[in-house]
Amino acid sequence: MLPGFCLRGYSQKKSIDQRVDSLMKLMTLEEKAGQLNQYSGKEVTGPVTGRQTYLLNDIKAGLVGSMLNVRGVKDTREIQAAALQSRLKIPLLFSLDVIHGYKTIFPIPLAEAASWDLEAIRLSAHIAAKEAAASGLHWTFAPMVDIGRDPRWGRVMEGAGEDPFLGSKIAVARVKGFQGEELGGTDAVMACAKHFAAYGAAMAGRDYNAVDMSSQLLWETYLPPFKAAADAGVATFMNSFNTLNGIPATGNSYLQRDILKDAWKYKGFVVSDWGSIGEMIPWGYANDLNDAALKAINAGSDMDMESEAYKKNLVQLVKENKVDVKLIDDAVRRILYKKFELGLFDDPYRFSDYKREQKVMNDPQSRLIARDVAQRSVVLLKNPDNILPLAKTTQTIAVIGPLGKSKRDLEGSWIPQSDTILVTTLFDGLSRKISKSSKLLYAKGCNINDDKDSDFAEAVETAKKADIVIMALGESWDMSGEAKSRTDIHLPGKQEALFEAIRATGKPVVVVMMAGRPLIFDKIADHASAILYAWWLGAEAGNAIANVVFGDYNPSGKLPLTFPRSVGQIPLSYSYYNTGRPVKNLKDIKYKSAYIDSPNGPRYAFGFGLSYTSFDYSDLSLSKSSIKGNESSDLSFTLKNTGKFAGEEVVQLYLQDVVSSVVRPVKELKDFQKIALKPGESRTIRFTIDKEKLSFFNRSLQWGAEPGSFKLMIGAASDDIRLEKTFELGL
Ligand code: GLC
């Protein structure tokens, strides 16, 4: 690195530290406490805390550090101008839930996770950031990196599924997408790793519920994506509504200080989730708002979203020597540092530019990128007779089902600036692809979630006129997401009955399932001619699904989480423990770890997804069959496209530590690659096996590998292992 660059980099970094120091010297205790306040704009994304939606006077008095739910150049300029009337003119941070798109709505995060395509995921976040930053926003409350293994929990929709390795890789891709390589560009925003921590393990899958888990499970499964985000430089963290082993995350110094700020040396700041500081009162952890403020600031919650605990109590708590002013200073420093990094002190309006807002919001390229990300997210679950892809010259196709012409339902629940009217429906997407001589019929058949079946007859009649039926089934946009836990994750309403009625016509039925979570749909799984899981794919949903249906894109998605056969199996993961009484075959389950009314295995496994082509795995070899110390071994195998379509395969490396000081799962994902091959093309695929891949947290929670045997597995899915080899780690 050139000295000049070093000095400039050093002097610039030093100048931010200095600039923070000199500003803090001027600040009163009231102004410092003010920086730790975040209020919502007029829209609310949580229980309204019983006061006006935002307090302009506080802003003018310099007693607010950030606003959420304010967006657009006009509003952000107006409110920023109010903040600049304050004594020290400290600019506000504007934040919003830009989870999967701002104006151009991309597939929901769980759908994008099904693409296993890290570049597509990064690009999606980058476009979302570009649009958000052009609307005066500095900060998005994303990525949500919570591991989700319970599809009763509606927020699996916002995450990257069940696996810590895949979840960590996706967390990094999203942080880089939102933030760019370094903060300060006006085409990037601060990201926020949320919800810290273990929120996805809420008891019984009920949102906002308690979490009890071993340190082992916390460290090996739920923390890794947060650590990956921190190491990737995520600017902020958001804590979570749940307790962890009896202590609310917001008041949990083990999480926010011992782990995040001490062990991980995290330099960004932590914002509470909406009102979560005040919620320590109903949790029975704080006597009142004063006590809640004390516990939250001591535990490392730097900014208070919407509970007003800090606004109303911090100054007094410091004056009464109940809170050390050093904690306030540390929190203020972390927040001011980000405001300097974003260049807001140099130009508080630099993100609020009318011209850029116009230009960025209407970039047609963004929709094309959204279509590509969407088609990469579709998972082909079934196609035994290769009915898909359909010919565009198919004479008559009937689209039947409540999501066939739906727009809003395909967007998911976080759609800040979407033009829903511009969403491409499945019917529209298909109609654009079929030949001029083909006909596309439509019947809704039933609603998404009620008992009405009076429209079945019309749907059956429509199906009888067609050569093939495409059924558009699933959830409405408000059936998954925050505060959308379900005790029953069956396909809702009369939709499966509608499928049965259509199947009875004898026509081939392709089912396109659109939902925010795994659903249970046994009859469809058993009897549909083909099934595409299309999640909620956003603005370009109809075009993306049509590309897949007609083979203009060969589906390459793989499930990022397990689809259970029943709710009774939950929590269910591919990374299960063998137990002392494993089931070896379904006929012999007496005195085995099994159910008497269901197989143990899922309906569809983690990592599963079919293609219109086929892939052959062969010639697995290791440069060394054992390693010791810091040695590594090169694993290689040959992948061949043995079908007649070009396609992409996600090859998955799993590993089992056969005997260890802490029982290990039967397999854990340790690496993957998404490989594109033409028909007949072969390629040598390589992975490196090193100690890091063999490591785990032992009973003292130390990360490390233990000598012994390991099983290396190469799979097309977690339940479809194609090649395997044993491997030794020596002393
Ligand atoms: C919500 C969500 C959180 C979101 C925040 C602000 O309650 O839990 O994910 O970022 O409030 O809208």
Side-chain angles (χ1 to χ4, degrees), residues 24 35-36 257 261 269 297 301-303 310 326-336:
M24 286 184 68
Q35 285 301 304
L36 313 191
R257 290 201 184 281
K261 294 179 178 178
F269 69 87
I297 194 72
S301 295
D302 297 307
M303 186 180 276
Y310 284 5
K326 290 200 188 76
L327 297 183
I328 312 289
D329 287 348
D330 176 60
V332 174
R333 170 181 304 286
R334 289 168 182 268
I335 293 163
L336 292 179

mmCIF file with all atom_site columns, all heavy atoms in Angstrom, residues 24 35-36 257 261 269 297 301-303 310 326-336:
data_model
loop_
_atom_site.group_PDB
_atom_site.id
_atom_site.type_symbol
_atom_site.label_atom_id
_atom_site.label_alt_id
_atom_site.label_comp_id
_atom_site.label_asym_id
_atom_site.label_entity_id
_atom_site.label_seq_id
_atom_site.pdbx_PDB_ins_code
_atom_site.Cartn_x
_atom_site.Cartn_y
_atom_site.Cartn_z
_atom_site.occupancy
_atom_site.B_iso_or_equiv
_atom_site.pdbx_formal_charge
_atom_site.auth_seq_id
_atom_site.auth_comp_id
_atom_site.auth_asym_id
_atom_site.auth_atom_id
_atom_site.pdbx_PDB_model_num
ATOM 1   N N   . MET A 1 24  ? -17.935 15.813 20.989 1.00 0.00 ? 24  MET A N   1
ATOM 2   C CA  . MET A 1 24  ? -18.473 15.347 22.275 1.00 0.00 ? 24  MET A CA  1
ATOM 3   C C   . MET A 1 24  ? -18.112 16.282 23.416 1.00 0.00 ? 24  MET A C   1
ATOM 4   O O   . MET A 1 24  ? -18.862 16.431 24.378 1.00 0.00 ? 24  MET A O   1
ATOM 5   C CB  . MET A 1 24  ? -18.006 13.918 22.553 1.00 0.00 ? 24  MET A CB  1
ATOM 6   C CG  . MET A 1 24  ? -18.747 12.898 21.683 1.00 0.00 ? 24  MET A CG  1
ATOM 7   S SD  . MET A 1 24  ? -18.301 11.214 22.055 1.00 0.00 ? 24  MET A SD  1
ATOM 8   C CE  . MET A 1 24  ? -18.991 11.019 23.682 1.00 0.00 ? 24  MET A CE  1
ATOM 9   N N   . GLN A 1 35  ? -28.860 11.727 21.389 1.00 0.00 ? 35  GLN A N   1
ATOM 10  C CA  . GLN A 1 35  ? -28.359 10.935 20.250 1.00 0.00 ? 35  GLN A CA  1
ATOM 11  C C   . GLN A 1 35  ? -28.791 9.480  20.355 1.00 0.00 ? 35  GLN A C   1
ATOM 12  O O   . GLN A 1 35  ? -28.778 8.752  19.369 1.00 0.00 ? 35  GLN A O   1
ATOM 13  C CB  . GLN A 1 35  ? -26.828 11.029 20.184 1.00 0.00 ? 35  GLN A CB  1
ATOM 14  C CG  . GLN A 1 35  ? -26.337 12.366 19.657 1.00 0.00 ? 35  GLN A CG  1
ATOM 15  C CD  . GLN A 1 35  ? -26.863 12.654 18.256 1.00 0.00 ? 35  GLN A CD  1
ATOM 16  O OE1 . GLN A 1 35  ? -26.673 11.884 17.322 1.00 0.00 ? 35  GLN A OE1 1
ATOM 17  N NE2 . GLN A 1 35  ? -27.588 13.743 18.134 1.00 0.00 ? 35  GLN A NE2 1
ATOM 18  N N   . LEU A 1 36  ? -29.172 9.047  21.546 1.00 0.00 ? 36  LEU A N   1
ATOM 19  C CA  . LEU A 1 36  ? -29.518 7.635  21.759 1.00 0.00 ? 36  LEU A CA  1
ATOM 20  C C   . LEU A 1 36  ? -31.014 7.381  21.548 1.00 0.00 ? 36  LEU A C   1
ATOM 21  O O   . LEU A 1 36  ? -31.504 6.290  21.813 1.00 0.00 ? 36  LEU A O   1
ATOM 22  C CB  . LEU A 1 36  ? -29.107 7.196  23.170 1.00 0.00 ? 36  LEU A CB  1
ATOM 23  C CG  . LEU A 1 36  ? -27.700 7.589  23.616 1.00 0.00 ? 36  LEU A CG  1
ATOM 24  C CD1 . LEU A 1 36  ? -27.338 6.866  24.907 1.00 0.00 ? 36  LEU A CD1 1
ATOM 25  C CD2 . LEU A 1 36  ? -26.671 7.262  22.542 1.00 0.00 ? 36  LEU A CD2 1
ATOM 26  N N   . ARG A 1 257 ? -22.494 -7.178 25.310 1.00 0.00 ? 257 ARG A N   1
ATOM 27  C CA  . ARG A 1 257 ? -21.167 -6.717 25.735 1.00 0.00 ? 257 ARG A CA  1
ATOM 28  C C   . ARG A 1 257 ? -20.149 -7.859 25.690 1.00 0.00 ? 257 ARG A C   1
ATOM 29  O O   . ARG A 1 257 ? -19.168 -7.805 24.941 1.00 0.00 ? 257 ARG A O   1
ATOM 30  C CB  . ARG A 1 257 ? -21.226 -6.102 27.141 1.00 0.00 ? 257 ARG A CB  1
ATOM 31  C CG  . ARG A 1 257 ? -21.965 -4.774 27.163 1.00 0.00 ? 257 ARG A CG  1
ATOM 32  C CD  . ARG A 1 257 ? -21.602 -3.909 28.377 1.00 0.00 ? 257 ARG A CD  1
ATOM 33  N NE  . ARG A 1 257 ? -22.410 -2.689 28.401 1.00 0.00 ? 257 ARG A NE  1
ATOM 34  C CZ  . ARG A 1 257 ? -22.148 -1.613 27.640 1.00 0.00 ? 257 ARG A CZ  1
ATOM 35  N NH1 . ARG A 1 257 ? -21.126 -1.637 26.788 1.00 0.00 ? 257 ARG A NH1 1
ATOM 36  N NH2 . ARG A 1 257 ? -22.912 -0.537 27.709 1.00 0.00 ? 257 ARG A NH2 1
ATOM 37  N N   . LYS A 1 261 ? -19.424 -6.800 21.847 1.00 0.00 ? 261 LYS A N   1
ATOM 38  C CA  . LYS A 1 261 ? -18.499 -5.668 21.931 1.00 0.00 ? 261 LYS A CA  1
ATOM 39  C C   . LYS A 1 261 ? -17.150 -6.050 22.498 1.00 0.00 ? 261 LYS A C   1
ATOM 40  O O   . LYS A 1 261 ? -16.131 -5.468 22.138 1.00 0.00 ? 261 LYS A O   1
ATOM 41  C CB  . LYS A 1 261 ? -19.147 -4.541 22.747 1.00 0.00 ? 261 LYS A CB  1
ATOM 42  C CG  . LYS A 1 261 ? -20.370 -3.958 22.035 1.00 0.00 ? 261 LYS A CG  1
ATOM 43  C CD  . LYS A 1 261 ? -21.051 -2.845 22.832 1.00 0.00 ? 261 LYS A CD  1
ATOM 44  C CE  . LYS A 1 261 ? -22.225 -2.263 22.059 1.00 0.00 ? 261 LYS A CE  1
ATOM 45  N NZ  . LYS A 1 261 ? -22.936 -1.199 22.820 1.00 0.00 ? 261 LYS A NZ  1
ATOM 46  N N   . PHE A 1 269 ? -22.826 0.242  16.291 1.00 0.00 ? 269 PHE A N   1
ATOM 47  C CA  . PHE A 1 269 ? -23.720 0.439  17.440 1.00 0.00 ? 269 PHE A CA  1
ATOM 48  C C   . PHE A 1 269 ? -24.945 -0.466 17.365 1.00 0.00 ? 269 PHE A C   1
ATOM 49  O O   . PHE A 1 269 ? -25.243 -0.999 16.295 1.00 0.00 ? 269 PHE A O   1
ATOM 50  C CB  . PHE A 1 269 ? -24.123 1.904  17.588 1.00 0.00 ? 269 PHE A CB  1
ATOM 51  C CG  . PHE A 1 269 ? -25.025 2.471  16.532 1.00 0.00 ? 269 PHE A CG  1
ATOM 52  C CD1 . PHE A 1 269 ? -26.412 2.360  16.622 1.00 0.00 ? 269 PHE A CD1 1
ATOM 53  C CD2 . PHE A 1 269 ? -24.490 3.162  15.440 1.00 0.00 ? 269 PHE A CD2 1
ATOM 54  C CE1 . PHE A 1 269 ? -27.244 2.907  15.654 1.00 0.00 ? 269 PHE A CE1 1
ATOM 55  C CE2 . PHE A 1 269 ? -25.316 3.716  14.464 1.00 0.00 ? 269 PHE A CE2 1
ATOM 56  C CZ  . PHE A 1 269 ? -26.695 3.594  14.571 1.00 0.00 ? 269 PHE A CZ  1
ATOM 57  N N   . ILE A 1 297 ? -29.027 0.249  28.995 1.00 0.00 ? 297 ILE A N   1
ATOM 58  C CA  . ILE A 1 297 ? -27.759 0.939  28.706 1.00 0.00 ? 297 ILE A CA  1
ATOM 59  C C   . ILE A 1 297 ? -26.605 0.173  29.321 1.00 0.00 ? 297 ILE A C   1
ATOM 60  O O   . ILE A 1 297 ? -25.535 0.024  28.709 1.00 0.00 ? 297 ILE A O   1
ATOM 61  C CB  . ILE A 1 297 ? -27.792 2.416  29.180 1.00 0.00 ? 297 ILE A CB  1
ATOM 62  C CG1 . ILE A 1 297 ? -26.614 3.198  28.553 1.00 0.00 ? 297 ILE A CG1 1
ATOM 63  C CG2 . ILE A 1 297 ? -27.808 2.528  30.689 1.00 0.00 ? 297 ILE A CG2 1
ATOM 64  C CD1 . ILE A 1 297 ? -26.727 3.476  27.096 1.00 0.00 ? 297 ILE A CD1 1
ATOM 65  N N   . SER A 1 301 ? -27.235 -1.699 24.949 1.00 0.00 ? 301 SER A N   1
ATOM 66  C CA  . SER A 1 301 ? -28.157 -1.207 23.911 1.00 0.00 ? 301 SER A CA  1
ATOM 67  C C   . SER A 1 301 ? -27.857 0.269  23.705 1.00 0.00 ? 301 SER A C   1
ATOM 68  O O   . SER A 1 301 ? -28.120 1.086  24.582 1.00 0.00 ? 301 SER A O   1
ATOM 69  C CB  . SER A 1 301 ? -29.614 -1.398 24.365 1.00 0.00 ? 301 SER A CB  1
ATOM 70  O OG  . SER A 1 301 ? -29.909 -2.764 24.481 1.00 0.00 ? 301 SER A OG  1
ATOM 71  N N   . ASP A 1 302 ? -27.328 0.615  22.542 1.00 0.00 ? 302 ASP A N   1
ATOM 72  C CA  . ASP A 1 302 ? -26.846 1.986  22.348 1.00 0.00 ? 302 ASP A CA  1
ATOM 73  C C   . ASP A 1 302 ? -27.967 2.957  22.001 1.00 0.00 ? 302 ASP A C   1
ATOM 74  O O   . ASP A 1 302 ? -27.978 4.101  22.426 1.00 0.00 ? 302 ASP A O   1
ATOM 75  C CB  . ASP A 1 302 ? -25.802 2.019  21.223 1.00 0.00 ? 302 ASP A CB  1
ATOM 76  C CG  . ASP A 1 302 ? -24.586 1.196  21.558 1.00 0.00 ? 302 ASP A CG  1
ATOM 77  O OD1 . ASP A 1 302 ? -24.004 1.418  22.639 1.00 0.00 ? 302 ASP A OD1 1
ATOM 78  O OD2 . ASP A 1 302 ? -24.248 0.299  20.792 1.00 0.00 ? 302 ASP A OD2 1
ATOM 79  N N   . MET A 1 303 ? -28.924 2.528  21.176 1.00 0.00 ? 303 MET A N   1
ATOM 80  C CA  . MET A 1 303 ? -29.979 3.434  20.723 1.00 0.00 ? 303 MET A CA  1
ATOM 81  C C   . MET A 1 303 ? -31.343 2.833  21.035 1.00 0.00 ? 303 MET A C   1
ATOM 82  O O   . MET A 1 303 ? -31.540 1.635  20.890 1.00 0.00 ? 303 MET A O   1
ATOM 83  C CB  . MET A 1 303 ? -29.835 3.684  19.211 1.00 0.00 ? 303 MET A CB  1
ATOM 84  C CG  . MET A 1 303 ? -30.805 4.735  18.664 1.00 0.00 ? 303 MET A CG  1
ATOM 85  S SD  . MET A 1 303 ? -30.597 4.981  16.874 1.00 0.00 ? 303 MET A SD  1
ATOM 86  C CE  . MET A 1 303 ? -29.242 6.153  16.853 1.00 0.00 ? 303 MET A CE  1
ATOM 87  N N   . TYR A 1 310 ? -34.900 5.972  27.197 1.00 0.00 ? 310 TYR A N   1
ATOM 88  C CA  . TYR A 1 310 ? -33.680 6.773  27.326 1.00 0.00 ? 310 TYR A CA  1
ATOM 89  C C   . TYR A 1 310 ? -34.017 8.245  27.429 1.00 0.00 ? 310 TYR A C   1
ATOM 90  O O   . TYR A 1 310 ? -33.479 8.971  28.269 1.00 0.00 ? 310 TYR A O   1
ATOM 91  C CB  . TYR A 1 310 ? -32.758 6.504  26.135 1.00 0.00 ? 310 TYR A CB  1
ATOM 92  C CG  . TYR A 1 310 ? -32.017 5.184  26.178 1.00 0.00 ? 310 TYR A CG  1
ATOM 93  C CD1 . TYR A 1 310 ? -32.257 4.261  27.192 1.00 0.00 ? 310 TYR A CD1 1
ATOM 94  C CD2 . TYR A 1 310 ? -31.063 4.851  25.231 1.00 0.00 ? 310 TYR A CD2 1
ATOM 95  C CE1 . TYR A 1 310 ? -31.590 3.045  27.240 1.00 0.00 ? 310 TYR A CE1 1
ATOM 96  C CE2 . TYR A 1 310 ? -30.371 3.642  25.269 1.00 0.00 ? 310 TYR A CE2 1
ATOM 97  C CZ  . TYR A 1 310 ? -30.648 2.750  26.277 1.00 0.00 ? 310 TYR A CZ  1
ATOM 98  O OH  . TYR A 1 310 ? -29.980 1.563  26.322 1.00 0.00 ? 310 TYR A OH  1
ATOM 99  N N   . LYS A 1 326 ? -19.741 7.141  31.271 1.00 0.00 ? 326 LYS A N   1
ATOM 100 C CA  . LYS A 1 326 ? -18.882 6.520  30.256 1.00 0.00 ? 326 LYS A CA  1
ATOM 101 C C   . LYS A 1 326 ? -19.693 5.629  29.291 1.00 0.00 ? 326 LYS A C   1
ATOM 102 O O   . LYS A 1 326 ? -19.378 5.500  28.120 1.00 0.00 ? 326 LYS A O   1
ATOM 103 C CB  . LYS A 1 326 ? -17.788 5.668  30.906 1.00 0.00 ? 326 LYS A CB  1
ATOM 104 C CG  . LYS A 1 326 ? -16.705 6.465  31.631 1.00 0.00 ? 326 LYS A CG  1
ATOM 105 C CD  . LYS A 1 326 ? -15.436 5.596  31.795 1.00 0.00 ? 326 LYS A CD  1
ATOM 106 C CE  . LYS A 1 326 ? -14.416 6.280  32.680 1.00 0.00 ? 326 LYS A CE  1
ATOM 107 N NZ  . LYS A 1 326 ? -14.857 6.171  34.130 1.00 0.00 ? 326 LYS A NZ  1
ATOM 108 N N   . LEU A 1 327 ? -20.746 5.027  29.846 1.00 0.00 ? 327 LEU A N   1
ATOM 109 C CA  . LEU A 1 327 ? -21.557 4.160  28.968 1.00 0.00 ? 327 LEU A CA  1
ATOM 110 C C   . LEU A 1 327 ? -22.298 5.013  27.939 1.00 0.00 ? 327 LEU A C   1
ATOM 111 O O   . LEU A 1 327 ? -22.428 4.635  26.782 1.00 0.00 ? 327 LEU A O   1
ATOM 112 C CB  . LEU A 1 327 ? -22.554 3.358  29.801 1.00 0.00 ? 327 LEU A CB  1
ATOM 113 C CG  . LEU A 1 327 ? -21.969 2.376  30.823 1.00 0.00 ? 327 LEU A CG  1
ATOM 114 C CD1 . LEU A 1 327 ? -23.092 1.611  31.515 1.00 0.00 ? 327 LEU A CD1 1
ATOM 115 C CD2 . LEU A 1 327 ? -20.979 1.411  30.177 1.00 0.00 ? 327 LEU A CD2 1
ATOM 116 N N   . ILE A 1 328 ? -22.756 6.175  28.405 1.00 0.00 ? 328 ILE A N   1
ATOM 117 C CA  . ILE A 1 328 ? -23.446 7.085  27.473 1.00 0.00 ? 328 ILE A CA  1
ATOM 118 C C   . ILE A 1 328 ? -22.447 7.550  26.414 1.00 0.00 ? 328 ILE A C   1
ATOM 119 O O   . ILE A 1 328 ? -22.716 7.505  25.214 1.00 0.00 ? 328 ILE A O   1
ATOM 120 C CB  . ILE A 1 328 ? -23.984 8.326  28.222 1.00 0.00 ? 328 ILE A CB  1
ATOM 121 C CG1 . ILE A 1 328 ? -24.725 7.946  29.486 1.00 0.00 ? 328 ILE A CG1 1
ATOM 122 C CG2 . ILE A 1 328 ? -24.817 9.200  27.275 1.00 0.00 ? 328 ILE A CG2 1
ATOM 123 C CD1 . ILE A 1 328 ? -26.043 7.294  29.301 1.00 0.00 ? 328 ILE A CD1 1
ATOM 124 N N   . ASP A 1 329 ? -21.255 7.957  26.878 1.00 0.00 ? 329 ASP A N   1
ATOM 125 C CA  . ASP A 1 329 ? -20.237 8.446  25.939 1.00 0.00 ? 329 ASP A CA  1
ATOM 126 C C   . ASP A 1 329 ? -19.885 7.383  24.905 1.00 0.00 ? 329 ASP A C   1
ATOM 127 O O   . ASP A 1 329 ? -19.747 7.664  23.721 1.00 0.00 ? 329 ASP A O   1
ATOM 128 C CB  . ASP A 1 329 ? -18.978 8.862  26.712 1.00 0.00 ? 329 ASP A CB  1
ATOM 129 C CG  . ASP A 1 329 ? -19.188 10.166 27.475 1.00 0.00 ? 329 ASP A CG  1
ATOM 130 O OD1 . ASP A 1 329 ? -20.215 10.839 27.198 1.00 0.00 ? 329 ASP A OD1 1
ATOM 131 O OD2 . ASP A 1 329 ? -18.370 10.505 28.336 1.00 0.00 ? 329 ASP A OD2 1
ATOM 132 N N   . ASP A 1 330 ? -19.761 6.133  25.348 1.00 0.00 ? 330 ASP A N   1
ATOM 133 C CA  . ASP A 1 330 ? -19.406 5.069  24.399 1.00 0.00 ? 330 ASP A CA  1
ATOM 134 C C   . ASP A 1 330 ? -20.494 4.915  23.343 1.00 0.00 ? 330 ASP A C   1
ATOM 135 O O   . ASP A 1 330 ? -20.217 4.823  22.144 1.00 0.00 ? 330 ASP A O   1
ATOM 136 C CB  . ASP A 1 330 ? -19.218 3.744  25.148 1.00 0.00 ? 330 ASP A CB  1
ATOM 137 C CG  . ASP A 1 330 ? -18.938 2.595  24.190 1.00 0.00 ? 330 ASP A CG  1
ATOM 138 O OD1 . ASP A 1 330 ? -17.914 2.676  23.463 1.00 0.00 ? 330 ASP A OD1 1
ATOM 139 O OD2 . ASP A 1 330 ? -19.763 1.675  24.099 1.00 0.00 ? 330 ASP A OD2 1
ATOM 140 N N   . ALA A 1 331 ? -21.737 4.948  23.792 1.00 0.00 ? 331 ALA A N   1
ATOM 141 C CA  . ALA A 1 331 ? -22.858 4.789  22.836 1.00 0.00 ? 331 ALA A CA  1
ATOM 142 C C   . ALA A 1 331 ? -22.908 5.965  21.871 1.00 0.00 ? 331 ALA A C   1
ATOM 143 O O   . ALA A 1 331 ? -23.041 5.781  20.647 1.00 0.00 ? 331 ALA A O   1
ATOM 144 C CB  . ALA A 1 331 ? -24.167 4.666  23.594 1.00 0.00 ? 331 ALA A CB  1
ATOM 145 N N   . VAL A 1 332 ? -22.728 7.179  22.403 1.00 0.00 ? 332 VAL A N   1
ATOM 146 C CA  . VAL A 1 332 ? -22.775 8.379  21.554 1.00 0.00 ? 332 VAL A CA  1
ATOM 147 C C   . VAL A 1 332 ? -21.639 8.339  20.540 1.00 0.00 ? 332 VAL A C   1
ATOM 148 O O   . VAL A 1 332 ? -21.830 8.609  19.349 1.00 0.00 ? 332 VAL A O   1
ATOM 149 C CB  . VAL A 1 332 ? -22.676 9.659  22.423 1.00 0.00 ? 332 VAL A CB  1
ATOM 150 C CG1 . VAL A 1 332 ? -22.581 10.898 21.541 1.00 0.00 ? 332 VAL A CG1 1
ATOM 151 C CG2 . VAL A 1 332 ? -23.896 9.760  23.331 1.00 0.00 ? 332 VAL A CG2 1
ATOM 152 N N   . ARG A 1 333 ? -20.472 7.938  21.004 1.00 0.00 ? 333 ARG A N   1
ATOM 153 C CA  . ARG A 1 333 ? -19.297 7.875  20.110 1.00 0.00 ? 333 ARG A CA  1
ATOM 154 C C   . ARG A 1 333 ? -19.570 6.938  18.947 1.00 0.00 ? 333 ARG A C   1
ATOM 155 O O   . ARG A 1 333 ? -19.305 7.265  17.789 1.00 0.00 ? 333 ARG A O   1
ATOM 156 C CB  . ARG A 1 333 ? -18.083 7.425  20.916 1.00 0.00 ? 333 ARG A CB  1
ATOM 157 C CG  . ARG A 1 333 ? -16.838 7.078  20.104 1.00 0.00 ? 333 ARG A CG  1
ATOM 158 C CD  . ARG A 1 333 ? -15.718 6.633  21.014 1.00 0.00 ? 333 ARG A CD  1
ATOM 159 N NE  . ARG A 1 333 ? -15.438 7.652  22.019 1.00 0.00 ? 333 ARG A NE  1
ATOM 160 C CZ  . ARG A 1 333 ? -14.804 8.787  21.733 1.00 0.00 ? 333 ARG A CZ  1
ATOM 161 N NH1 . ARG A 1 333 ? -14.384 9.019  20.499 1.00 0.00 ? 333 ARG A NH1 1
ATOM 162 N NH2 . ARG A 1 333 ? -14.575 9.686  22.656 1.00 0.00 ? 333 ARG A NH2 1
ATOM 163 N N   . ARG A 1 334 ? -20.129 5.782  19.243 1.00 0.00 ? 334 ARG A N   1
ATOM 164 C CA  . ARG A 1 334 ? -20.406 4.798  18.190 1.00 0.00 ? 334 ARG A CA  1
ATOM 165 C C   . ARG A 1 334 ? -21.371 5.368  17.142 1.00 0.00 ? 334 ARG A C   1
ATOM 166 O O   . ARG A 1 334 ? -21.216 5.168  15.947 1.00 0.00 ? 334 ARG A O   1
ATOM 167 C CB  . ARG A 1 334 ? -20.993 3.528  18.825 1.00 0.00 ? 334 ARG A CB  1
ATOM 168 C CG  . ARG A 1 334 ? -19.995 2.714  19.634 1.00 0.00 ? 334 ARG A CG  1
ATOM 169 C CD  . ARG A 1 334 ? -20.701 1.638  20.473 1.00 0.00 ? 334 ARG A CD  1
ATOM 170 N NE  . ARG A 1 334 ? -19.739 0.896  21.288 1.00 0.00 ? 334 ARG A NE  1
ATOM 171 C CZ  . ARG A 1 334 ? -19.140 -0.237 20.894 1.00 0.00 ? 334 ARG A CZ  1
ATOM 172 N NH1 . ARG A 1 334 ? -19.415 -0.747 19.702 1.00 0.00 ? 334 ARG A NH1 1
ATOM 173 N NH2 . ARG A 1 334 ? -18.273 -0.851 21.666 1.00 0.00 ? 334 ARG A NH2 1
ATOM 174 N N   . ILE A 1 335 ? -22.362 6.095  17.610 1.00 0.00 ? 335 ILE A N   1
ATOM 175 C CA  . ILE A 1 335 ? -23.372 6.655  16.695 1.00 0.00 ? 335 ILE A CA  1
ATOM 176 C C   . ILE A 1 335 ? -22.792 7.823  15.893 1.00 0.00 ? 335 ILE A C   1
ATOM 177 O O   . ILE A 1 335 ? -22.925 7.870  14.664 1.00 0.00 ? 335 ILE A O   1
ATOM 178 C CB  . ILE A 1 335 ? -24.609 7.088  17.509 1.00 0.00 ? 335 ILE A CB  1
ATOM 179 C CG1 . ILE A 1 335 ? -25.299 5.848  18.087 1.00 0.00 ? 335 ILE A CG1 1
ATOM 180 C CG2 . ILE A 1 335 ? -25.587 7.912  16.658 1.00 0.00 ? 335 ILE A CG2 1
ATOM 181 C CD1 . ILE A 1 335 ? -26.264 6.127  19.218 1.00 0.00 ? 335 ILE A CD1 1
ATOM 182 N N   . LEU A 1 336 ? -22.096 8.724  16.566 1.00 0.00 ? 336 LEU A N   1
ATOM 183 C CA  . LEU A 1 336 ? -21.512 9.883  15.851 1.00 0.00 ? 336 LEU A CA  1
ATOM 184 C C   . LEU A 1 336 ? -20.495 9.413  14.823 1.00 0.00 ? 336 LEU A C   1
ATOM 185 O O   . LEU A 1 336 ? -20.414 9.943  13.707 1.00 0.00 ? 336 LEU A O   1
ATOM 186 C CB  . LEU A 1 336 ? -20.850 10.846 16.839 1.00 0.00 ? 336 LEU A CB  1
ATOM 187 C CG  . LEU A 1 336 ? -21.781 11.599 17.789 1.00 0.00 ? 336 LEU A CG  1
ATOM 188 C CD1 . LEU A 1 336 ? -20.962 12.492 18.727 1.00 0.00 ? 336 LEU A CD1 1
ATOM 189 C CD2 . LEU A 1 336 ? -22.810 12.419 17.019 1.00 0.00 ? 336 LEU A CD2 1
#
